[in-house]
Amino acid sequence: MAASLARIFEALGDPIRRYILELVAGGEQPAGAIVETVRAQASISQPGVSQHLKVLRDAGLVIVRAEGTRRFYALDAQGVETAQAWLAGLGDPLHQMANPLDALGTEIARGKRAGRTAEPTRRSRTGEARPAAG
């Protein structure tokens, strides 16, 4: 996941790619419309916009669908969720410890249950555990 996370944030580091994401966040867009809109905002060639779309696709932030000779781009929810989860972890640093602590709580409870249901033992003078006489 670290490699894909690095790719995601590397892709997000460019303002043109962030702008493209804003365009496709509103819904699926044809590649031609994305190129025209981006070129109206920035001095960039059509191949330059195509390269930005490729970086976004490789990072898992957009998906592409072919329909004949046309390409349609849409936001890839999984890539966005990966970035959001990482960012949310910054705000809640203990979030990563939640699952191990839950597991520890389960093991403690299991140990208490086992202690209640185990046969009572008595310790000898040497410290050896023996079943209690009953």
Side-chain angles (χ1 to χ4, degrees), residues 19-20 23-24 27-41 44-51 53 57 63-67 69-74:
Y19 182 64
I20 292 170
L23 293 174
V24 298
E28 187 178 68
Q29 300 286 323
I34 294 170
V35 169
E36 287 177 29
T37 306
V38 172
R39 290 189 70 195
Q41 295 294 318
I44 187 170
S45 66
Q46 181 276 326
V49 176
S50 294
Q51 182 61 34
L53 286 166
R57 193 175 63 243
I63 54 175
V64 64
R65 176 179 66 85
E67 190 175 287
T69 59
R70 298 180 73 191
R71 302 288 180 259
F72 294 87
Y73 287 86

Side-chain angles (χ1 to χ4, degrees), residues 15 30 32 97 106 124:
M97 294 181 67
T106 300
S124 70

